[in-house]
Amino acid sequence: MNERNRFFLLISIMVAASLIVAGITIKVLYDAAFSEERARLVETAQSQARLIEAIARFDKIHQQSQHPGPEEPEEATLNQIIDAHKNYVGFGKTGEFTLARLEGDNIIFVLNHRHGGLDKPKPIPFVSKLAQPMRQALLGKSGTLVGHDYRGETVLAAYEPVQELNYGIVAKIDLAE
């Protein structure tokens, strides 16, 4: 093997080693960022769920004594939550909260906070392949998953039940982001 071939072989080995190290570094950094985002979404979903539960408990105690009626405390709680989210900027470009309940065989969204709007998505059948994180929350489960949201987009989501109202809350961000 002459000097020139040896030189090109050494350069090729160095380039390959550099590419492998860069690839491993990018993978490690991606995994770390993914884990951080997952933890942040879990914390956000849990804190929002506990806050909504506290508001609902307060409204049940105070609304029933002042304005008897089976739906009024829940309605008062939802109105407060929706009002609070009107002024919420959000997180990331695609991050959003959704709050929903199960009505018959459909998932009914009462709040979705996406890109500054509070429009409610259309009801989704509970057995649909859409709204996977919300389905888990409405089943009373807590956790995270990568799956399809109500739009069919693949998202990283944290889900949490809201016990006081039998609702579910999801904090999610598009996986592409």
Side-chain angles (χ1 to χ4, degrees), residues 31-101:
D31 288 347
F34 193 85
S35 294
E36 276 184 41
E37 187 66 26
R38 182 183 301 246
R40 185 173 70 100
L41 289 171
V42 166
E43 183 180 327
T44 301
Q46 288 176 345
S47 66
Q48 287 286 311
R50 299 304 81 81
L51 180 63
I52 292 169
E53 288 170 350
I55 294 168
R57 282 190 300 272
F58 179 87
D59 286 342
K60 280 182 186 176
I61 293 167
H62 289 61
Q63 286 287 106
Q64 288 177 349
S65 64
Q66 297 171 5
H67 306 285
E71 307 250 319
E72 288 185 26
E74 180 179 323
E75 188 176 322
T77 300
L78 291 176
N79 287 337
Q80 291 175 72
I81 300 305
I82 290 168
D83 183 56
H85 280 267
K86 284 180 185 173
N87 300 313
Y88 182 71
V89 176
F91 50 95
K93 293 179 184 174
T94 61
E96 101 177 288
F97 292 107
T98 56
L99 182 66
R101 70 177 181 270

